[in-house]
Amino acid sequence: MADEVQPDDMNASPEATRLARAALREVSTVIVGQDSMVERTMVALLAKGHCLLEGVPGVAKTLAVATLAQVTGGDFHRIQFTPDLVPSDIVGTRIYHPSTERFDVELGPVVTNFVLADEINRAPAKVQSALLEVMAERQVSVGGTTYPVPDPFIVIATQNPVESEGVYPLPEAQRDRFLMKVVVEHPTAEEELEILRRMSREPPQAHRILDALTLAELQADAERVQVHQLIADYVVRLVMASREPATYGLPELDGIIEIGASPRASLGLVAAARALALLRGRDYVLPDDVRHLASDVMAHRLVLTFDALADGVTATQLVDRIVATVPAPRVIWDDPPTAGDQPVAARR
């Protein structure tokens, strides 16, 4: 990680930011409102992470994913998760052909660029766990042979939080594989009126803005976004505060959080903040980037105690409390920088 941001290189590639924003605008021609969901899915895509969308039926979760795949030019497969699904329906299986007297491997629908795991909590644990290898290792194993998935690759799953019958909550290990969990709310009255206006006629169709090669270049641009050492320290302190709250001035959370965020939260928060900075036209991360994404990256990784659940405490509330308590570094730029000056990129 860079220790300092150089004064003559403080903006992201204008072309990279332009293309990423153009893709977002094109998705918005189909999706009314839901700006946060659309932005977060693009952040996950640029950060090479997976995304879990949680919301009641009818709030455009599936449509948003399909539109994003269309705009970015990737192959798209939708898997409808049901209780009778088996793992081979997802990753593939070996099929015997009598005509050739041999087994051939038929790869499943996860071998594509965009995987939409629709209503993932409707399938039992053994089916959900079939995604673990492909999400973490970007490969599937069938018949003793490993097959890589194409690049880029992203799993976007949806789940309905209000149903309790016929659903199987995601285990902690599964949730930890998702870079972000985004809660999708109902649209406002103005947005719903626009939905009626736009969708009551022939629905708009998004056009392709990117392709697989361009998307890979944008992901590489996001990886080059600089993270100052004090920003990295801030990320670690946020995550550590979820594991050792008393050490970071939050003793009241000791009996509320049973298991804190894993190291994947630290890695994911940095990767997501880099992608968000790129979208905002910068090649350096600010504390605000981290704060805006902390709840999306950390909340679904926390395991709360039974007492906390009984009291109606949510993980999002706890992450917001952590962000409000753990001090962020103060960012100070020399304005304007003079030749030979080293700007103080960040201070506690």
mmCIF file of all heavy atoms in Angstrom, residues 29 40 68 73 105 108 113 121 124 145 162 196 207 258 260 292 320 334 338 343:
data_model
loop_
_atom_site.group_PDB
_atom_site.id
_atom_site.type_symbol
_atom_site.label_atom_id
_atom_site.label_comp_id
_atom_site.label_asym_id
_atom_site.label_seq_id
_atom_site.Cartn_x
_atom_site.Cartn_y
_atom_site.Cartn_z
ATOM 1 N N THR A 29 -31.272 3.842 -16.870
ATOM 2 C CA THR A 29 -32.331 4.045 -17.852
ATOM 3 C C THR A 29 -33.421 2.991 -17.717
ATOM 4 O O THR A 29 -34.546 3.190 -18.192
ATOM 5 C CB THR A 29 -31.769 4.006 -19.284
ATOM 6 O OG1 THR A 29 -31.213 2.706 -19.544
ATOM 7 C CG2 THR A 29 -30.695 5.069 -19.477
ATOM 8 N N ARG A 40 -23.770 0.034 -5.552
ATOM 9 C CA ARG A 40 -23.086 -1.011 -4.785
ATOM 10 C C ARG A 40 -22.786 -2.245 -5.646
ATOM 11 O O ARG A 40 -21.734 -2.869 -5.491
ATOM 12 C CB ARG A 40 -23.914 -1.421 -3.571
ATOM 13 C CG ARG A 40 -24.109 -0.327 -2.523
ATOM 14 C CD ARG A 40 -22.789 0.210 -1.984
ATOM 15 N NE ARG A 40 -22.969 1.048 -0.825
ATOM 16 C CZ ARG A 40 -22.993 2.382 -0.839
ATOM 17 N NH1 ARG A 40 -22.881 3.028 -1.976
ATOM 18 N NH2 ARG A 40 -23.129 3.067 0.282
ATOM 19 N N LEU A 68 -27.423 -4.993 -15.466
ATOM 20 C CA LEU A 68 -25.984 -4.775 -15.295
ATOM 21 C C LEU A 68 -25.191 -5.715 -16.188
ATOM 22 O O LEU A 68 -24.190 -5.310 -16.799
ATOM 23 C CB LEU A 68 -25.603 -4.987 -13.826
ATOM 24 C CG LEU A 68 -24.133 -4.758 -13.472
ATOM 25 C CD1 LEU A 68 -23.741 -3.303 -13.693
ATOM 26 C CD2 LEU A 68 -23.855 -5.159 -12.024
ATOM 27 N N GLY A 73 -21.764 -6.374 -20.868
ATOM 28 C CA GLY A 73 -21.422 -7.273 -21.964
ATOM 29 C C GLY A 73 -21.021 -8.668 -21.560
ATOM 30 O O GLY A 73 -20.453 -9.403 -22.366
ATOM 31 N N VAL A 105 -18.258 -34.440 -19.120
ATOM 32 C CA VAL A 105 -18.588 -33.458 -18.095
ATOM 33 C C VAL A 105 -19.474 -32.372 -18.693
ATOM 34 O O VAL A 105 -19.149 -31.784 -19.732
ATOM 35 C CB VAL A 105 -17.315 -32.833 -17.493
ATOM 36 C CG1 VAL A 105 -17.680 -31.683 -16.560
ATOM 37 C CG2 VAL A 105 -16.517 -33.897 -16.746
ATOM 38 N N GLY A 108 -22.139 -26.733 -15.069
ATOM 39 C CA GLY A 108 -23.393 -26.109 -14.665
ATOM 40 C C GLY A 108 -23.452 -24.637 -15.004
ATOM 41 O O GLY A 108 -22.508 -24.045 -15.551
ATOM 42 N N ASN A 113 -20.065 -15.404 -16.645
ATOM 43 C CA ASN A 113 -19.561 -14.159 -16.064
ATOM 44 C C ASN A 113 -20.431 -13.667 -14.915
ATOM 45 O O ASN A 113 -19.929 -13.323 -13.847
ATOM 46 C CB ASN A 113 -19.470 -13.073 -17.139
ATOM 47 C CG ASN A 113 -18.490 -13.398 -18.237
ATOM 48 O OD1 ASN A 113 -18.873 -13.511 -19.399
ATOM 49 N ND2 ASN A 113 -17.224 -13.553 -17.903
ATOM 50 N N ASN A 121 -31.933 -18.275 -0.416
ATOM 51 C CA ASN A 121 -32.310 -18.887 0.860
ATOM 52 C C ASN A 121 -33.488 -19.857 0.732
ATOM 53 O O ASN A 121 -33.978 -20.362 1.734
ATOM 54 C CB ASN A 121 -32.630 -17.811 1.905
ATOM 55 C CG ASN A 121 -33.703 -16.833 1.453
ATOM 56 O OD1 ASN A 121 -33.919 -16.658 0.245
ATOM 57 N ND2 ASN A 121 -34.379 -16.193 2.383
ATOM 58 N N PRO A 124 -31.708 -25.714 0.333
ATOM 59 C CA PRO A 124 -31.074 -26.193 1.575
ATOM 60 C C PRO A 124 -29.575 -25.949 1.578
ATOM 61 O O PRO A 124 -28.969 -25.591 0.559
ATOM 62 C CB PRO A 124 -31.406 -27.693 1.580
ATOM 63 C CG PRO A 124 -31.703 -28.037 0.158
ATOM 64 C CD PRO A 124 -32.297 -26.805 -0.460
ATOM 65 N N THR A 145 -11.884 -33.280 -11.597
ATOM 66 C CA THR A 145 -11.198 -32.301 -12.445
ATOM 67 C C THR A 145 -11.686 -30.900 -12.090
ATOM 68 O O THR A 145 -12.874 -30.690 -11.845
ATOM 69 C CB THR A 145 -11.459 -32.578 -13.935
ATOM 70 O OG1 THR A 145 -11.074 -33.922 -14.240
ATOM 71 C CG2 THR A 145 -10.669 -31.615 -14.810
ATOM 72 N N VAL A 162 -38.637 -11.449 4.495
ATOM 73 C CA VAL A 162 -39.897 -11.468 5.241
ATOM 74 C C VAL A 162 -40.523 -12.848 5.342
ATOM 75 O O VAL A 162 -41.397 -13.072 6.179
ATOM 76 C CB VAL A 162 -40.918 -10.485 4.615
ATOM 77 C CG1 VAL A 162 -40.394 -9.067 4.694
ATOM 78 C CG2 VAL A 162 -41.240 -10.863 3.184
ATOM 79 N N LEU A 196 -44.337 3.657 -13.038
ATOM 80 C CA LEU A 196 -45.583 3.511 -13.793
ATOM 81 C C LEU A 196 -45.465 4.137 -15.169
ATOM 82 O O LEU A 196 -45.894 3.555 -16.179
ATOM 83 C CB LEU A 196 -46.726 4.174 -13.018
ATOM 84 C CG LEU A 196 -47.337 3.399 -11.856
ATOM 85 C CD1 LEU A 196 -48.367 4.258 -11.132
ATOM 86 C CD2 LEU A 196 -47.967 2.105 -12.349
ATOM 87 N N HIS A 207 -28.392 -0.615 -23.312
ATOM 88 C CA HIS A 207 -27.419 -0.936 -24.354
ATOM 89 C C HIS A 207 -26.073 -1.294 -23.720
ATOM 90 O O HIS A 207 -25.759 -0.848 -22.620
ATOM 91 C CB HIS A 207 -27.245 0.252 -25.303
ATOM 92 C CG HIS A 207 -28.507 0.660 -25.997
ATOM 93 N ND1 HIS A 207 -29.380 1.594 -25.474
ATOM 94 C CD2 HIS A 207 -29.061 0.240 -27.160
ATOM 95 C CE1 HIS A 207 -30.404 1.751 -26.286
ATOM 96 N NE2 HIS A 207 -30.231 0.936 -27.324
ATOM 97 N N GLU A 258 -21.391 -11.574 19.297
ATOM 98 C CA GLU A 258 -20.798 -12.866 19.671
ATOM 99 C C GLU A 258 -19.538 -13.142 18.868
ATOM 100 O O GLU A 258 -18.531 -13.590 19.404
ATOM 101 C CB GLU A 258 -21.825 -13.979 19.439
ATOM 102 C CG GLU A 258 -21.333 -15.360 19.874
ATOM 103 C CD GLU A 258 -22.416 -16.407 19.786
ATOM 104 O OE1 GLU A 258 -23.600 -16.041 19.662
ATOM 105 O OE2 GLU A 258 -22.082 -17.604 19.843
ATOM 106 N N GLY A 260 -17.113 -11.271 15.796
ATOM 107 C CA GLY A 260 -16.888 -10.082 14.992
ATOM 108 C C GLY A 260 -16.583 -10.400 13.543
ATOM 109 O O GLY A 260 -16.585 -11.562 13.119
ATOM 110 N N HIS A 292 -18.809 5.130 4.089
ATOM 111 C CA HIS A 292 -20.016 4.894 3.305
ATOM 112 C C HIS A 292 -20.248 3.404 3.038
ATOM 113 O O HIS A 292 -21.395 2.983 2.828
ATOM 114 C CB HIS A 292 -19.935 5.641 1.973
ATOM 115 C CG HIS A 292 -20.048 7.119 2.123
ATOM 116 N ND1 HIS A 292 -19.656 8.006 1.147
ATOM 117 C CD2 HIS A 292 -20.509 7.882 3.147
ATOM 118 C CE1 HIS A 292 -19.869 9.240 1.566
ATOM 119 N NE2 HIS A 292 -20.375 9.188 2.774
ATOM 120 N N ASP A 320 -22.949 0.990 12.479
ATOM 121 C CA ASP A 320 -23.065 2.455 12.519
ATOM 122 C C ASP A 320 -22.502 3.006 13.829
ATOM 123 O O ASP A 320 -21.858 4.069 13.846
ATOM 124 C CB ASP A 320 -24.526 2.868 12.360
ATOM 125 C CG ASP A 320 -25.064 2.601 10.958
ATOM 126 O OD1 ASP A 320 -24.241 2.421 10.037
ATOM 127 O OD2 ASP A 320 -26.297 2.563 10.786
ATOM 128 N N ASP A 334 -2.443 19.824 0.715
ATOM 129 C CA ASP A 334 -1.849 21.134 0.460
ATOM 130 C C ASP A 334 -2.553 21.724 -0.759
ATOM 131 O O ASP A 334 -2.601 21.114 -1.816
ATOM 132 C CB ASP A 334 -0.351 21.004 0.164
ATOM 133 C CG ASP A 334 0.434 20.699 1.420
ATOM 134 O OD1 ASP A 334 -0.149 20.836 2.509
ATOM 135 O OD2 ASP A 334 1.604 20.311 1.301
ATOM 136 N N THR A 338 2.837 22.922 -4.163
ATOM 137 C CA THR A 338 3.924 23.562 -4.893
ATOM 138 C C THR A 338 4.945 22.513 -5.265
ATOM 139 O O THR A 338 4.997 21.431 -4.695
ATOM 140 C CB THR A 338 4.592 24.640 -4.025
ATOM 141 O OG1 THR A 338 5.058 24.039 -2.814
ATOM 142 C CG2 THR A 338 3.580 25.732 -3.683
ATOM 143 N N PRO A 343 2.611 16.549 0.143
ATOM 144 C CA PRO A 343 1.396 16.836 0.903
ATOM 145 C C PRO A 343 1.245 15.885 2.065
ATOM 146 O O PRO A 343 1.642 14.730 1.995
ATOM 147 C CB PRO A 343 0.288 16.614 -0.133
ATOM 148 C CG PRO A 343 0.871 15.626 -1.074
ATOM 149 C CD PRO A 343 2.342 15.934 -1.159
#
